[in-house]
């Protein structure tokens, strides 16, 4: 997990540095969009942030699915344990008593 944190930090710094470089060296570069011209130094970090937020939402959805799946499995285990204890109560086997031993 530490490695993933360092990689995330380095990539984020790289994207920020690339945006700053584009701002300082090529402020005139722009991309045409339906909403007008957008400067490239804003589009690059914006696209990175958009991808990061979509990835975060995907991770949250995946985690939520795991929690719900675990809850369903635990519910099934409790149900099966209840069935097993009911079967044990129905079928009580007598333990033979040995006459020369004391009861525990």
């Amino acid at each position: 997990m530490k490695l993933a944190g360092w990689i995330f930090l380095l990539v984020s710094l790289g994207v920020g540095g690339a945006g700053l470089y584009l701002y300082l060296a090529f402020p005139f570069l722009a991309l045409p969009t339906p909403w007008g011209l957008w400067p490239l130094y804003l589009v690059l970090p914006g696209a990175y942030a958009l991808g990061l937020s979509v990835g975060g939402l995907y991770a949250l959805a995946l985690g939520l699915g795991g929690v719900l799946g675990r809850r369903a499995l635990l519910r099934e285990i409790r149900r099966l344990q209840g069935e097993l204890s009911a079967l044990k109560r129905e079928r009580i086997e007598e333990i033979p008593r040995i006459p020369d031993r004391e009861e525990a």
Side-chain angles (χ1 to χ4, degrees):
M1 205 60 193
K2 284 186 178 184
L3 179 63
W6 279 106
I7 290 173
F8 172 70
L9 176 68
L10 291 176
V11 169
S12 298
L13 288 175
V15 168
L20 183 64
Y21 173 74
L22 286 172
Y23 175 72
L24 295 175
F26 305 106
F28 54 86
L29 290 178
L31 293 176
T33 65
W35 304 280
L37 289 176
W38 284 24
L40 191 60
Y41 62 84
L42 290 179
V43 172
L44 179 68
Y48 178 73
L50 181 65
L52 194 63
S53 62
V54 168
L57 288 175
Y58 180 76
L60 284 175
L62 192 63
L64 182 63
V67 167
L68 293 177
R70 181 177 183 268
R71 188 177 294 168
L73 286 174
L74 288 175
R75 191 178 317 121
E76 180 71 14
I77 288 172
R78 281 193 297 269
R79 186 186 65 80
L80 290 174
Q81 285 175 343
E83 287 181 17
L84 184 64
S85 64
L87 286 174
K88 284 181 180 177
R89 274 181 269 145
E90 286 178 9
R91 188 174 170 184
I92 299 174
E93 296 181 12
E94 291 188 22
I95 301 172
R97 227 178 110 223
I98 301 174
D100 60 340
R101 297 207 181 153
E102 295 179 17
E103 291 185 29

